[in-house]
Amino acid sequence: MLSIKEQVWRFVLEHAEDGLMRQQDIAADLGISVSTVHNALAVPRRSGAVEVGGRGFEVTDKKKFAIIWAVFRNLYRDVLVDVWSDLPPGKTEGLISRFEGVAFTGPSAFKFEYGYVPSDYDHVLAYAPPQLVDEIVEQSAANISGKFKSRVPRRSRYATRLTLLEPDPRMPDGKVPWAQVYADLWQLPEWWATEFTKRIEAALLDV
């Protein structure tokens, strides 16, 4: 699951438009120490993505902050299971969306928000409760492939890669925040991931 530092980054990016923020308030909202928040802001502060003043700090470069998280993100650490499904992406999404607690990230999150995709994709990613993973895999008619980085041959021309990720306890219910979707997409090696990150930058990062 996300490190505490990344959870702080997510919170700050979600509230970037609110203006001035105080480290004490963030610590109270997340239930962590002020020193943890202070340490989490070290890299964004050093890079100029946030500006610290006497009364607090504010995000001065949202895109730079989002990229910092995207670079530091370790998607592979959060993988619960990585499988190949014989179903196309849309049907795979439909099956796993029936489970309570599933929240899509990557290209699926974009599709459900905007109703279109800038590119075809064959990789469905979602955060899911660990106790439901076995049932989700069985329901999606998937063939367990092992480690995330393993090379697995497609089982049919409709094969879809399904990656289930472990959510952190502070992730909002039902929907993955856009900064996190962006960071997750950055970690994907597939060529089409760039098309999605470009659209998110244009829509949400004011570039």
Side-chain angles (χ1 to χ4, degrees):
M1 66 180 69
L2 290 185
S3 66
I4 295 297
K5 177 173 66 178
E6 290 180 281
Q7 293 175 42
V8 172
W9 289 352
R10 179 179 61 201
F11 185 93
V12 172
L13 282 165
E14 282 188 274
H15 294 83
E17 307 303 324
D18 296 347
L20 202 65
M21 288 178 267
R22 290 173 8 112
Q23 295 183 32
Q24 298 94 321
D25 296 335
I26 295 173
D29 284 340
L30 297 181
I32 58 179
S33 68
V34 175
S35 62
T36 299
V37 177
H38 179 79
N39 291 335
L41 293 175
V43 174
R45 184 172 62 247
R46 188 166 61 244
S47 69
V50 302
E51 184 175 310
V52 180
R55 295 186 300 155
F57 73 93
E58 61 181 337
V59 177
T60 53
D61 193 327
K62 190 175 179 181
K63 180 185 178 183
K64 182 180 285 188
F65 201 141
I67 290 175
I68 288 170
W69 184 10
V71 171
F72 277 88
R73 178 82 174 99
N74 185 354
L75 185 74
Y76 310 113
R77 178 188 58 203
D78 297 343
V79 172
L80 293 170
V81 69
D82 185 43
V83 300
W84 280 102
S85 169
D86 285 333
L87 301 172
K91 288 187 176 180
T92 300
E93 291 161 345
L95 282 172
I96 69 173
S97 66
R98 302 173 185 176
F99 291 87
E100 185 175 356
V102 168
F104 289 102
T105 185
S108 303
F110 188 101
K111 182 179 80 171
F112 290 130
E113 178 70 18
Y114 291 104
Y116 80 99
V117 290
S119 173
D120 291 335
Y121 62 94
D122 59 358
H123 194 170
V124 174
L125 298 100
Y127 290 89
Q131 67 273 18
L132 294 181
V133 167
D134 289 342
E135 187 178 355
I136 292 172
V137 168
E138 182 179 350
Q139 288 292 319
S140 62
N143 180 38
I144 294 178
S145 68
K147 295 181 180 179
F148 186 84
K149 293 182 179 179
S150 63
R151 295 178 60 85
V152 184
R154 294 173 181 270
R155 289 171 54 82
S156 77
R157 67 189 182 93
Y158 295 112
T160 300
R161 192 170 190 171
L162 170 62
T163 303
L164 299 179
L165 305 161
E166 183 178 10
D168 65 87
R170 296 183 180 89
M171 193 175 81
D173 292 333
K175 187 175 180 181
V176 182
W178 278 111
Q180 189 164 344
V181 174
Y182 180 77
D184 290 346
L185 278 163
W186 249 68
Q187 292 287 305
L188 299 180
E190 290 92 346
W191 65 268
W192 44 257
T194 301
E195 299 301 316
F196 287 88
T197 56
K198 286 179 180 177
R199 298 302 176 93
I200 293 175
E201 287 176 357
L204 301 168
L205 302 180
D206 301 322
V207 296

